Structures are given as structure tokens and as C-alpha cells.
């Protein structure tokens, strides 16, 4: 005789001989039901090859276990690494992480927020575009949903977690000035607040040390940082427009492009004799130690940014934990000295 096909949880509860609430309790947390009941449920799951639609179950609750994660791009190693840690922490805590990239576009960021609204989120972790974000729409979203922002600060949501750019840029400027010619600063496109913060931090650090700051601007604005670093680097080197042989780039991806530009123009980069340039970056990109020469940089603490973001969000979701969540959490970076500077 053909095995009965189980279509839903009500039918499964009936064939097992337990109540529907008990079965739901098992799927929420198997340890919450008695061991004998758990064994009966698991035997029936194997016998009837039944698996519930956990997403549908989640959506039917008054308060779901969905966590929304929005980032400008998952192609950037910083965002992919932070998202990886956030996903793992959420999953381990019994939440359902849902990642939506905004692809560097305002309309895509708004579409992501609209999509997440339909999913009755427990909370959200968002790295906003920043300069091009619709701040009012983000604020409306955060008023409805516990929200933690990371990476790019906006006055939105309950808390922000990110790198202390004045600390990290200060570490690098101090090192470069101490070990050679004071650096000029190759800017990054104004895609978020990090751009202006790092530029201001460079200027303040140079002035503190008694040196004249010189910012080399980038006129174009997109997320193709390596391409911009290469093309601008070739132009600036060809026209002899770098005011210093030491260049601090606003991020490692710009620095990687500049390293390629220096190579294409026959310039040796590094600290030794015969080197025409020193090049340094910011972030500790996963490829930074494999460039030629390996890139001197300052390392953002990817893991700590993810951990703090998730811990803060869980505290906001719990509400009654009694732990105060700091409104702004700035984390210090670490100087990584390699051969490029």
C-alpha cells in the first residue's frame, strides 16, 4: 500500500498523535519537548520524508525570526566578510538572515527596504550608501524595525558600529611621516561618509605633525575603486602631479590600482633604495598581503564590527535585557607594515 503523503503540519501532528502546538514547539527548539516525544517526531519525519516550510512558518508568527541585511555590494571583500560573520551569528541564534545588496544605487537601497518591510523583520543590520541614501526613508524604516547601521554613519536607527577613521588614518600618517617623506592623500569617490572622514582625518593628522596636507581629488564617483586607482594613478604619474613620493590611499582597493599604475610606468614601489614611491592603504583587503610588493595598510576589525552589530541588534530585539546599547560604537584599527611603505 502506498505510504500516506503528509501535506502539512496538521496532518503530521495527527499521524504522530501529538498536538499541533507541541509539534510547532519542536520545530522552534527541539530541546523544548520531552525526549520521547522528540524521538516520535523525528521517526515520523524520516518515515514520511516531511520537511516543513520554515519560511512560511516564520511569516505566520506575530514576531518573525527574520533578520534583514543590506549592504552596498557583496563583491567588496569588506562587506562580504562582515555579512558572512553576521549570517553565522544570526543562524546560530535561530534567526533567518536575508541579505539584499543595494548595488551602490539609491533606488536599489529603497527597493531593499521595501522588500524587507514585507517580511515582518525581527530586526535589520544595514550598511547604508550614505551620501546618496534617502535618509528620511531609512529613518522611517528604522522607526518601524530595530535597526543597527554599520560602516557608514547616518543619524538613523538605534545604534551605529564602524571603524574609527581618525584613529586609523592617524596611525598611518604618524608611521609614514616618521619613516620617510610625508604622504599626500589619494582620495576615494564620495560614495559614503568614510570618504570625507578619512580625508578630514588625514588633514588633521598632517597639521598636528606640522606638515602641509595635500589631497589628490578623484573626480569620478563609482565603486570600481581598483580601476579608478589605476587610471588616475597612470595619469598623475605621467603628468608628475603627485606632490610627494609617498601616497596614502583612502582604501586598499584604490591602492591596489595605484600599485598596478606604478608598475605600468616602470616605477619601483617600496621602502628600499632605488624605490621611487611608497604606497599605503586602508582596510587590510584580503589581497593586500599578496600584492607586489605587499601593501602596508591599517586593518579594520571585520569580525568585531560584525559581532558588535549583531550583539547590539539582539539587545534591541530583546528589549528587556537591561543592557544599554551605545548609540555610536567606533572601533580602533591596527597598523600593518609591509613592503610597499
Amino acid at each position: 500500500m502506498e505510504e500516506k503523503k503528509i501535506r502539512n503540519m496538521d496532518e503530521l501532528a495527527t499521524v504522530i498523535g501529538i498536538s499541533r502546538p507541541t509539534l510547532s514547539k519542536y520545530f522552534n527548539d527541539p530541546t523544548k519537548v520531552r525526549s520521547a516525544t522528540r524521538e516520535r517526531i523525528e521517526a515520523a519525519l524520516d518515515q514520511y520524508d516531511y520537511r516543513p516550510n520554515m519560511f512560511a512558518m516564520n511569516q505566520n508568527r506575530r514576531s518573525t525570526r527574520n533578520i534583514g541585511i543590506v549592504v552596498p555590494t557583496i563583491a567588496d571583500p569588506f562587506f562580504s566578510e562582515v555579512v558572512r560573520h553576521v549570517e553565522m551569528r544570526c543562524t546560530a541564534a535561530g534567526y533567518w538572515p536575508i541579505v539584499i545588496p543595494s548595488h551602490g544605487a539609491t533606488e536599489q537601497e529603497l527597493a531593499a527596504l521595501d522588500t524587507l518591510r514585507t517580511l515582518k523583520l525581527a530586526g535589520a543590520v544595514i550598511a547604508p550608501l550614505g551620501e546618496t541614501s534617502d535618509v528620511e526613508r531609512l529613518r522611517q524604516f528604522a522607526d518601524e524595525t530595530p535597526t543597527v547601521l554599520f560602516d557608514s554613519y547616518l543619524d538613523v536607527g538605534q545604534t551605529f558600529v564602524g571603524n574609527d577613521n581618525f584613529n586609523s588614518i592617524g596611525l598611518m600618517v604618524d608611521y609614514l611621516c616618521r619613516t620617510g617623506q610625508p604622504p599626500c592623500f589619494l582620495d576615494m569617490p564620495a560614495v559614503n561618509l568614510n570618504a570625507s572622514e578619512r580625508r578630514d582625518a588625514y588633514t588633521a593628522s598632517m597639521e598636528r605633525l606640522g606638515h602641509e596636507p595635500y589631497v589628490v581629488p578623484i573626480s569620478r564617483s563609482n565603486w570600481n575603486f581598483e580601476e579608478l586607482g589605476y587610471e588616475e594613478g597612470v595619469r598623475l604619474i605621467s603628468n608628475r602631479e603627485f606632490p610627494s613620493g609617498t601616497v596614502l590611499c583612502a582604501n586598499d582597493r584604490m591602492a591596489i590600482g595605484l600599485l598596478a599604475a606604478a608598475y605600468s610606468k616602470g616605477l619601483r614601489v617600496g621602502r628600499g633604495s632605488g624605490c621611487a614611491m611608497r604606497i599605503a592603504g586602508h582596510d587590510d583587503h584580503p589581497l593586500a598581503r599578496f600584492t607586489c610588493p605587499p601593501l602596508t595598510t591599517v586593518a579594520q576589525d571585520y569580525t568585531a564590527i560584525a559581532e558588535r552589530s549583531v550583539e547590539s541588534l539582539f539587545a534591541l530585539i530583546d528589549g528587556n535585557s537591561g543592557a544599554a546599547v551605545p548609540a555610536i560604537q567606533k572601533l580602533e584599527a591596527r597598523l600593518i607594515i609591509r613592503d610597499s611603505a
Side-chain angles (χ1 to χ4, degrees):
M1 187 172 180
E2 189 175 335
E3 189 77 76
K4 175 180 174 62
K5 178 68 176 177
I6 299 297
R7 294 172 299 178
N8 54 51
M9 287 181 60
D10 288 324
E11 291 185 0
L12 183 64
T14 299
V15 300
I16 297 173
I18 62 175
S19 68
R20 175 67 159 74
T22 298
L23 186 58
S24 294
K25 184 184 294 185
Y26 167 84
F27 284 119
N28 286 332
D29 184 352
T31 65
K32 297 297 185 182
V33 300
R34 291 181 298 178
S35 59
T37 302
R38 186 163 66 247
E39 290 171 4
R40 288 167 60 194
I41 293 171
E42 290 169 354
L45 290 173
D46 289 338
Q47 179 182 349
Y48 296 106
D49 191 27
Y50 175 79
R51 295 295 181 271
N53 185 334
M54 298 301 291
F55 186 77
M57 289 173 56
N58 198 11
Q59 287 302 101
N60 288 331
R61 296 173 179 154
R62 289 182 181 178
S63 177
T64 74
R65 305 287 286 180
N66 298 333
I67 298 291
I69 306 170
V70 180
V71 293
T73 173
I74 55 174
D76 187 293
F78 169 76
F79 292 117
S80 61
E81 188 68 7
V82 173
V83 166
R84 183 175 71 87
H85 284 288
V86 171
E87 284 184 306
M88 289 192 300
R89 277 296 309 275
C90 289
T91 301
Y95 288 92
W96 186 298
I98 301 164
V99 183
I100 306 179
S102 59
H103 302 292
T106 306
E107 62 273 15
Q108 292 295 322
E109 184 171 79
L110 293 175
L113 298 179
D114 289 341
T115 298
L116 292 176
R117 274 198 183 93
T118 68
L119 301 178
K120 297 191 295 187
L121 298 178
V125 178
I126 298 175
L129 296 176
E131 296 290 335
T132 59
S133 290
D134 186 327
V135 177
E136 192 53 42
R137 290 277 293 277
L138 270 170
R139 188 170 288 121
Q140 290 172 4
F141 177 90
D143 287 343
E144 301 167 1
T145 305
T147 299
V148 171
L149 264 56
F150 77 96
D151 183 55
S152 179
Y153 177 76
L154 290 175
D155 186 17
V156 170
Q158 289 76 26
T159 191
F160 167 78
V161 180
N163 181 68
D164 185 340
N165 289 311
F166 281 84
N167 160 260
S168 55
I169 292 292
L171 286 174
M172 182 58 77
V173 171
D174 283 350
Y175 166 74
L176 293 175
C177 289
R178 188 173 68 249
T179 56
Q181 188 178 14
C184 61
F185 184 79
L186 181 59
D187 210 355
M188 63 184 281
V191 293
N192 59 30
L193 188 65
N194 284 320
S196 57
E197 273 199 356
R198 292 177 189 181
R199 186 189 318 118
D200 291 346
Y202 161 77
T203 299
S205 297
M206 290 287 283
E207 291 175 346
R208 172 174 54 82
L209 295 172
H211 299 296
E212 183 73 23
Y214 193 99
V215 175
V216 180
I218 295 291
S219 58
R220 289 179 291 165
S221 182
N222 61 56
W223 289 82
N224 299 323
F225 298 138
E226 294 89 353
E227 179 181 301
L228 291 174
Y230 175 77
E231 293 180 352
E232 288 296 297
V234 167
R235 182 184 65 80
L236 291 162
I237 291 170
S238 299
N239 297 336
R240 301 181 180 275
E241 292 183 16
F242 275 121
S244 171
T246 301
V247 183
L248 170 56
C249 300
N251 64 41
D252 284 350
R253 293 177 60 193
M254 294 289 296
I256 289 170
L258 181 57
L259 284 171
Y263 175 82
S264 74
K265 301 302 291 183
L267 299 182
R268 185 176 177 186
V269 175
R271 290 178 284 157
S273 61
C275 293
M277 295 182 72
R278 292 192 303 162
I279 296 174
H282 188 290
D283 292 338
D284 199 23
H285 186 292
L287 297 181
R289 61 195 179 103
F290 300 115
T291 57
C292 188
L295 183 65
T296 290
T297 185
V298 275
Q300 292 197 68
D301 194 335
Y302 293 35
T303 303
I305 289 173
E307 291 285 333
R308 290 278 193 94
S309 297
V310 174
E311 289 168 5
S312 298
L313 183 63
F314 288 171
L316 293 171
I317 292 170
D318 291 343
N320 57 2
S321 64
V325 180
I328 298 177
Q329 303 178 54
K330 293 287 187 77
L331 307 183
E332 293 188 351
R334 182 168 50 96
L335 181 65
I336 307 290
I337 301 172
R338 300 191 179 106
D339 293 340
S340 72

